[in-house]
CSV table of all heavy atoms in Angstrom, one decimal:
chain,number,residue,atom,x,y,z
A,8,LYS,N,99.3,88.4,94.2
A,8,LYS,CA,99.4,89.7,93.8
A,8,LYS,C,98.1,90.4,94.0
A,8,LYS,O,97.0,89.8,93.7
A,8,LYS,CB,99.8,89.8,92.3
A,8,LYS,CG,101.0,89.3,91.9
A,8,LYS,CD,101.4,89.6,90.4
A,8,LYS,CE,102.7,89.0,90.2
A,8,LYS,NZ,103.1,89.3,88.8
A,9,VAL,N,98.0,91.6,94.5
A,9,VAL,CA,96.8,92.4,94.6
A,9,VAL,C,96.3,92.8,93.3
A,9,VAL,O,96.8,93.4,92.6
A,9,VAL,CB,97.1,93.5,95.6
A,9,VAL,CG1,95.8,94.4,95.6
A,9,VAL,CG2,97.6,93.2,97.0
A,10,ILE,N,95.0,92.3,93.1
A,10,ILE,CA,94.2,92.7,91.8
A,10,ILE,C,93.1,93.7,92.1
A,10,ILE,O,92.6,94.2,91.1
A,10,ILE,CB,93.9,91.6,91.1
A,10,ILE,CG1,92.8,90.7,91.9
A,10,ILE,CG2,95.1,90.7,90.7
A,10,ILE,CD1,92.2,89.6,91.0
A,11,GLY,N,92.7,93.9,93.3
A,11,GLY,CA,91.7,94.8,93.7
A,11,GLY,C,91.8,95.2,95.1
A,11,GLY,O,92.3,94.5,96.0
A,12,ALA,N,91.3,96.4,95.4
A,12,ALA,CA,91.1,96.9,96.8
A,12,ALA,C,89.9,97.7,97.0
A,12,ALA,O,89.4,98.5,96.1
A,12,ALA,CB,92.4,97.7,97.1
A,13,LEU,N,89.5,97.7,98.3
A,13,LEU,CA,88.4,98.6,98.7
A,13,LEU,C,88.9,99.2,100.1
A,13,LEU,O,89.2,98.5,101.0
A,13,LEU,CB,87.1,97.7,99.0
A,13,LEU,CG,86.0,98.5,99.7
A,13,LEU,CD1,85.4,99.5,98.6
A,13,LEU,CD2,84.8,97.5,99.9
A,14,ILE,N,88.9,100.7,100.0
A,14,ILE,CA,89.3,101.3,101.2
A,14,ILE,C,88.2,102.1,101.7
A,14,ILE,O,87.5,102.7,101.0
A,14,ILE,CB,90.5,102.3,100.9
A,14,ILE,CG1,91.6,101.4,100.2
A,14,ILE,CG2,91.0,103.1,102.1
A,14,ILE,CD1,92.7,102.3,99.6
A,15,CYS,N,87.9,101.9,103.0
A,15,CYS,CA,86.7,102.5,103.7
A,15,CYS,C,87.2,103.2,105.0
A,15,CYS,O,88.3,102.8,105.5
A,15,CYS,CB,85.7,101.5,104.1
A,15,CYS,SG,85.0,100.6,102.7
A,16,ARG,N,86.4,104.0,105.6
A,16,ARG,CA,86.6,104.5,107.0
A,16,ARG,C,85.2,104.6,107.6
A,16,ARG,O,84.2,104.9,106.9
A,16,ARG,CB,87.4,105.8,106.9
A,16,ARG,CG,86.5,107.0,107.1
A,16,ARG,CD,87.4,108.4,107.1
A,16,ARG,NE,87.0,109.2,106.1
A,16,ARG,CZ,87.8,110.0,105.4
A,16,ARG,NH1,89.1,110.1,105.8
A,16,ARG,NH2,87.4,110.8,104.5
A,17,LYS,N,85.2,104.3,108.9
A,17,LYS,CA,84.0,104.2,109.8
A,17,LYS,C,84.1,105.4,110.8
A,17,LYS,O,85.1,105.7,111.3
A,17,LYS,CB,83.8,103.0,110.4
A,17,LYS,CG,82.5,102.9,111.3
A,17,LYS,CD,82.5,101.6,111.9
A,17,LYS,CE,81.2,101.4,112.7
A,17,LYS,NZ,80.9,102.6,113.7
A,18,SER,N,83.0,106.1,110.9
A,18,SER,CA,82.9,107.1,111.9
A,18,SER,C,81.5,107.1,112.3
A,18,SER,O,80.5,107.3,111.6
A,18,SER,CB,83.2,108.5,111.5
A,18,SER,OG,82.5,108.9,110.4
A,19,GLU,N,81.3,106.9,113.7
A,19,GLU,CA,79.9,106.7,114.4
A,19,GLU,C,79.0,105.8,113.5
A,19,GLU,O,79.4,104.6,113.5
A,19,GLU,CB,79.3,108.1,114.3
A,19,GLU,CG,80.2,109.2,115.2
A,19,GLU,CD,79.5,110.5,115.3
A,19,GLU,OE1,78.3,110.6,115.0
A,19,GLU,OE2,80.3,111.5,115.7
A,20,ASP,N,78.0,106.3,112.9
A,20,ASP,CA,77.0,105.2,112.3
A,20,ASP,C,77.2,105.3,110.8
A,20,ASP,O,76.3,104.8,110.0
A,20,ASP,CB,75.5,105.7,112.7
A,20,ASP,CG,75.1,107.0,112.1
A,20,ASP,OD1,76.1,107.8,111.8
A,20,ASP,OD2,74.0,107.3,112.0
A,21,ARG,N,78.4,105.7,110.3
A,21,ARG,CA,78.6,105.9,108.9
A,21,ARG,C,79.8,105.2,108.4
A,21,ARG,O,80.9,105.1,109.1
A,21,ARG,CB,78.6,107.4,108.6
A,21,ARG,CG,78.8,107.8,107.2
A,21,ARG,CD,78.9,109.4,107.2
A,21,ARG,NE,77.7,109.9,107.7
A,21,ARG,CZ,76.7,110.5,106.9
A,21,ARG,NH1,77.0,110.6,105.6
A,21,ARG,NH2,75.7,111.0,107.5
A,22,VAL,N,79.8,104.6,107.2
A,22,VAL,CA,81.0,104.1,106.5
A,22,VAL,C,81.1,104.8,105.3
A,22,VAL,O,80.1,105.0,104.5
A,22,VAL,CB,80.9,102.6,106.3
A,22,VAL,CG1,81.9,102.2,105.3
A,22,VAL,CG2,81.0,101.8,107.6
A,23,GLU,N,82.2,105.3,104.9
A,23,GLU,CA,82.5,106.1,103.8
A,23,GLU,C,83.5,105.2,103.0
A,23,GLU,O,84.6,104.8,103.4
A,23,GLU,CB,83.3,107.4,104.1
A,23,GLU,CG,83.6,108.2,102.8
A,23,GLU,CD,84.3,109.5,103.1
A,23,GLU,OE1,84.4,109.8,104.3
A,23,GLU,OE2,84.7,110.1,102.1
A,24,ILE,N,83.1,104.9,101.7
A,24,ILE,CA,83.9,104.1,100.7
A,24,ILE,C,84.8,105.2,100.1
A,24,ILE,O,84.4,106.1,99.4
A,24,ILE,CB,83.1,103.5,99.8
A,24,ILE,CG1,82.2,102.4,100.3
A,24,ILE,CG2,84.1,102.8,98.6
A,24,ILE,CD1,81.2,101.6,99.3
A,25,ILE,N,86.1,105.1,100.4
A,25,ILE,CA,87.1,106.0,99.9
A,25,ILE,C,87.6,105.8,98.5
A,25,ILE,O,87.8,106.6,97.6
A,25,ILE,CB,88.3,106.2,101.0
A,25,ILE,CG1,87.8,106.7,102.1
A,25,ILE,CG2,89.4,107.0,100.4
A,25,ILE,CD1,88.8,106.6,103.4
A,26,ALA,N,87.8,104.3,98.3
A,26,ALA,CA,88.3,104.0,97.0
A,26,ALA,C,87.9,102.5,96.7
A,26,ALA,O,87.9,101.7,97.7
A,26,ALA,CB,89.9,104.0,97.0
A,27,LEU,N,87.6,102.2,95.5
A,27,LEU,CA,87.4,100.8,95.1
A,27,LEU,C,88.1,100.8,93.7
A,27,LEU,O,87.8,101.5,92.9
A,27,LEU,CB,86.0,100.6,94.8
A,27,LEU,CG,85.6,99.3,94.2
A,27,LEU,CD1,86.1,98.1,95.0
A,27,LEU,CD2,84.1,99.2,93.9
A,28,ALA,N,89.1,99.8,93.7
A,28,ALA,CA,89.9,99.6,92.5
A,28,ALA,C,90.1,98.2,92.1
A,28,ALA,O,90.3,97.5,92.9
A,28,ALA,CB,91.3,100.4,92.7
A,29,VAL,N,90.0,98.0,90.9
A,29,VAL,CA,90.3,96.6,90.4
A,29,VAL,C,91.2,96.8,89.1
A,29,VAL,O,90.9,97.6,88.3
A,29,VAL,CB,89.1,95.9,90.0
A,29,VAL,CG1,89.3,94.4,89.3
A,29,VAL,CG2,88.1,95.7,91.1
A,30,LYS,N,92.4,96.0,89.1
A,30,LYS,CA,93.3,96.1,88.0
A,30,LYS,C,92.5,95.9,86.6
A,30,LYS,O,91.7,95.0,86.6
A,30,LYS,CB,94.4,95.1,88.2
A,30,LYS,CG,95.6,95.4,87.3
A,30,LYS,CD,96.8,94.6,87.9
A,30,LYS,CE,97.9,95.1,87.2
A,30,LYS,NZ,99.2,94.5,87.6
A,31,ALA,N,92.8,96.7,85.6
A,31,ALA,CA,92.0,96.7,84.4
A,31,ALA,C,91.9,95.3,83.7
A,31,ALA,O,90.7,95.0,83.3
A,31,ALA,CB,92.8,97.6,83.3
A,32,VAL,N,92.8,94.5,83.8
A,32,VAL,CA,92.7,93.1,83.2
A,32,VAL,C,91.7,92.2,83.9
A,32,VAL,O,91.3,91.2,83.3
A,32,VAL,CB,94.0,92.4,82.8
A,32,VAL,CG1,94.9,93.2,81.9
A,32,VAL,CG2,94.7,92.2,84.2
A,33,TYR,N,91.4,92.5,85.2
A,33,TYR,CA,90.4,91.7,86.0
A,33,TYR,C,89.1,92.3,86.1
A,33,TYR,O,88.2,91.7,86.8
A,33,TYR,CB,91.2,91.4,87.3
A,33,TYR,CG,92.4,90.7,87.1
A,33,TYR,CD1,93.6,91.2,87.3
A,33,TYR,CD2,92.4,89.4,86.9
A,33,TYR,CE1,94.8,90.7,87.2
A,33,TYR,CE2,93.5,88.7,86.8
A,33,TYR,CZ,94.8,89.3,87.0
A,33,TYR,OH,96.0,88.6,86.9
A,34,ARG,N,88.9,93.5,85.5
A,34,ARG,CA,87.5,94.0,85.6
A,34,ARG,C,86.4,93.3,84.9
A,34,ARG,O,86.7,92.3,84.0
A,34,ARG,CB,87.5,95.5,85.1
A,34,ARG,CG,88.4,96.3,85.9
A,34,ARG,CD,88.3,97.8,85.4
A,34,ARG,NE,89.4,98.5,86.2
A,34,ARG,CZ,90.1,99.6,85.7
A,34,ARG,NH1,89.7,100.0,84.5
A,34,ARG,NH2,90.9,100.2,86.5
A,35,HIS,N,85.2,93.5,85.2
A,35,HIS,CA,84.1,92.8,84.7
A,35,HIS,C,84.0,91.3,85.0
A,35,HIS,O,83.5,90.4,84.2
A,35,HIS,CB,83.9,93.0,83.1
A,35,HIS,CG,83.9,94.4,82.7
A,35,HIS,ND1,82.8,95.2,83.0
A,35,HIS,CD2,84.9,95.2,82.3
A,35,HIS,CE1,83.1,96.5,82.6
A,35,HIS,NE2,84.3,96.5,82.3
A,36,GLN,N,84.6,90.9,86.1
A,36,GLN,CA,84.7,89.5,86.6
A,36,GLN,C,84.0,89.3,88.0
A,36,GLN,O,84.1,88.3,88.6
A,36,GLN,CB,86.1,89.0,86.5
A,36,GLN,CG,86.7,89.0,85.1
A,36,GLN,CD,88.1,88.5,85.2
A,36,GLN,OE1,88.4,87.6,85.9
A,36,GLN,NE2,89.1,89.1,84.3
A,37,GLY,N,83.4,90.5,88.4
A,37,GLY,CA,82.8,90.4,89.8
A,37,GLY,C,83.6,90.6,91.0
A,37,GLY,O,83.2,90.5,92.0
A,38,ILE,N,84.9,91.0,90.6
A,38,ILE,CA,85.7,91.3,91.9
A,38,ILE,C,85.4,92.5,92.7
A,38,ILE,O,85.2,92.5,93.9
A,38,ILE,CB,87.2,91.4,91.4
A,38,ILE,CG1,87.6,90.0,90.7
A,38,ILE,CG2,88.1,91.9,92.3
A,38,ILE,CD1,89.0,90.2,89.9
A,39,GLY,N,85.1,93.5,92.0
A,39,GLY,CA,84.5,94.8,92.7
A,39,GLY,C,83.2,94.5,93.4
A,39,GLY,O,83.0,95.0,94.6
A,40,SER,N,82.3,93.8,92.8
A,40,SER,CA,81.1,93.5,93.4
A,40,SER,C,81.3,92.6,94.7
A,40,SER,O,80.7,92.7,95.7
A,40,SER,CB,80.2,92.6,92.5
A,40,SER,OG,79.8,93.5,91.4
A,41,SER,N,82.2,91.7,94.6
A,41,SER,CA,82.5,90.8,95.7
A,41,SER,C,83.1,91.7,96.9
A,41,SER,O,82.8,91.4,98.0
A,41,SER,CB,83.6,89.7,95.3
A,41,SER,OG,83.0,88.8,94.4
A,42,LEU,N,84.0,92.6,96.6
A,42,LEU,CA,84.5,93.4,97.6
A,42,LEU,C,83.4,94.3,98.4
A,42,LEU,O,83.3,94.4,99.5
A,42,LEU,CB,85.6,94.5,97.0
A,42,LEU,CG,86.9,93.7,96.6
A,42,LEU,CD1,87.8,94.6,95.9
A,42,LEU,CD2,87.6,93.2,97.9
A,43,ILE,N,82.6,94.7,97.5
A,43,ILE,CA,81.3,95.5,98.0
A,43,ILE,C,80.5,94.6,98.8
A,43,ILE,O,80.1,94.9,100.0
A,43,ILE,CB,80.5,96.2,97.0
A,43,ILE,CG1,81.3,97.3,96.2
A,43,ILE,CG2,79.2,96.6,97.5
A,43,ILE,CD1,81.5,98.4,97.1
Side-chain angles (χ1 to χ4, degrees):
K8 293 186 180 184
V9 175
I10 60 169
L13 176 64
I14 301 170
C15 304
R16 102 173 119 210
K17 182 184 181 303
S18 63
E19 299 178 16
D20 65 342
R21 178 180 301 252
V22 167
E23 179 182 355
I24 298 174
I25 298 168
L27 172 62
V29 176
K30 199 164 185 174
V32 297
Y33 297 104
R34 292 182 188 154
H35 305 288
Q36 297 180 36
I38 295 165
S40 296
S41 294
L42 290 168
I43 293 290

